[in-house]
Amino acid sequence: MRTIWKGALTFGLVNVPVKVYSAVEDHDVPLHQVHDEDGGRIRYQRVCEVCGKTVAYADIDRAFVDEGQTVVLTKDDLAALPAQRSKEIDVVEFVPSDQVDLLTLDKPYYLEPDSSSPKAYVLLRKTLEQTDRTAIVRFTLREKTRLAALRVRGEVLVLQTLLWADEVREASFPALDESVTISRKELELSASLVESFSGDFDPSAFVDEYQQELRTLIDAKIVKGEAFEAAETFGDAEPGGGEVIDLMEALRASVERSRAARSDENASDAADQPAAPKGKGRKKAG
């Protein structure tokens, strides 16, 4: 696997240097468009619809288009935005694992400890397991701020990006508003059918038959000599990294800081309470 990001996972004053890897990969056979007469690759050019010229990538700006209006955003405009470029994965809170809606889970990443000692990494992993909690974190990847769930899978910490709340559509189907009566017998028969298909889930037992047949077809054409060489280039991994600080000291300082913050909040709440009314009928000094 190739590292796609390096940084540090932080909670309180604890710093856990990590390397990030994509946890999944597409198994589909990559297919390109070619000219049917000579097999030449068909490539797309960036052409301006106004002047008809082919435009270099360096000369392209971005724009927001809505209801016939176009707002151009230059590279300087975007650079002026408060985009985070931090190499830290900041823990926002630890929540019960069953509160993370599966619908919001997006792309998963593996985290590998990136230090001479994996102690802080293992400590966080064991803590999440023991407390049955999932860490909600914020981090920046490819110049975008992401929200993610940090959880445990076997011996590895897994970072899974989350969809933002406004990216999940509400399900509203009028048909489900109608009252439907299910008889006891229908429910029993349905449960019996489910039982007949019951078993333990084994992902390796399922294969993508279409992709297998496609690969078989490609191999057959190669054997017949119906292939020619083509080259591909790949980019380099992104640099970065971090260092581990004293673990016990960081834990103690984090706990103390958290307690102090709560104490300040309680003191502030008490100060905001209205004062008790003073007693009446005070005697004058004689």
Side-chain angles (χ1 to χ4, degrees), residues 104-163:
T104 64
L105 294 175
D106 200 12
K107 190 170 182 180
Y109 299 89
Y110 288 137
L111 299 187
E112 177 191 18
D114 186 24
S115 64
S116 57
S117 172
K119 185 172 183 178
Y121 181 100
V122 174
L123 173 63
L124 178 57
R125 187 194 72 204
K126 288 184 176 295
T127 303
L128 291 176
E129 288 178 322
Q130 181 179 338
T131 59
D132 192 23
R133 295 269 171 167
T134 293
I136 303 302
V137 305
R138 284 179 182 267
F139 72 109
T140 302
L141 179 64
R142 300 186 180 97
E143 298 185 356
K144 286 187 178 181
T145 299
R146 321 261 177 165
L147 192 67
L150 180 71
R151 54 193 179 85
V152 179
R153 185 175 188 268
E155 300 293 313
V156 179
L157 289 175
V158 174
L159 187 72
Q160 191 149 12
T161 54
L162 298 172
L163 298 174

Side-chain angles (χ1 to χ4, degrees), residues 3 36 54 56 83 123 145 176 196 239 286:
T3 304
D36 61 357
T54 299
L123 173 63
T145 299
L176 295 179
S196 69

